[in-house]
Structures are given as C-alpha cells and as structure tokens.
Amino acid sequence: MIGALLGLGTQMYSNALRKLPYMRHPWEHVLGMGLGAVFVTQLVKWDAQLQEDLDKMLDKAKAANERRYFGQSSAN
C-alpha cells in the first residue's frame, strides 16, 4: 500500500511540476503504483535479509570473543 501511494504521489508530483493535469495519462499512474509496490516489497525483503545476516555476524563475533577471552583462562 505504501509503495502504491509512493508511485502515485511521484507521478502526480511529476505532472504538477510540468504544470499538466494531475490525472493525465492514467495508465502512468497505474504503472507508477505497480513499480512503487514492487520497490517497497523488495526493500522490506532486503531489510529482513540484512537483519538476518547481521544477527549471524554478531553471533559469530560474540562466539569468537568468548573463545578469545574465556577459552584461554585455563592456560593462564
């Protein structure tokens, strides 16, 4: 929904800047809404994947730090 509104708003803003009627070529609005919806959907998927990758990296770093500092206490 947000992406569709983003696409529609972009198209209407573009028409307003060019001093054209807001709803000139309605198919452009539909196309803009579709592209906006796809963009936001992919953005949400990318953000979820990024968060998952970050969690994995933080777990690996935490495990490495624990091995480094707590794993060698018996050798000292």
Side-chain angles (χ1 to χ4, degrees):
M1 186 68 177
I2 293 173
L5 290 174
L6 176 70
L8 177 65
T10 302
Q11 184 59 38
M12 291 182 77
Y13 183 68
S14 172
N15 283 351
L17 284 178
R18 295 182 290 162
K19 299 191 187 289
L20 297 172
Y22 288 123
M23 294 303 285
R24 180 177 177 247
H25 298 147
W27 59 269
E28 290 178 351
H29 293 80
V30 173
L31 182 65
M33 290 170 67
L35 290 174
V38 169
F39 172 74
V40 170
T41 301
Q42 292 301 318
L43 184 66
V44 168
K45 286 181 183 178
W46 179 74
D47 185 48
Q49 182 64 38
L50 187 65
Q51 185 64 38
E52 184 180 313
D53 292 344
L54 179 63
D55 290 341
K56 286 179 186 177
M57 288 174 58
L58 290 174
D59 288 340
K60 285 181 184 179
K62 183 179 178 182
N65 283 339
E66 286 176 355
R67 281 193 312 271
R68 182 181 306 146
Y69 293 112
F70 300 123
Q72 296 177 357
S73 63
S74 61
N76 289 335

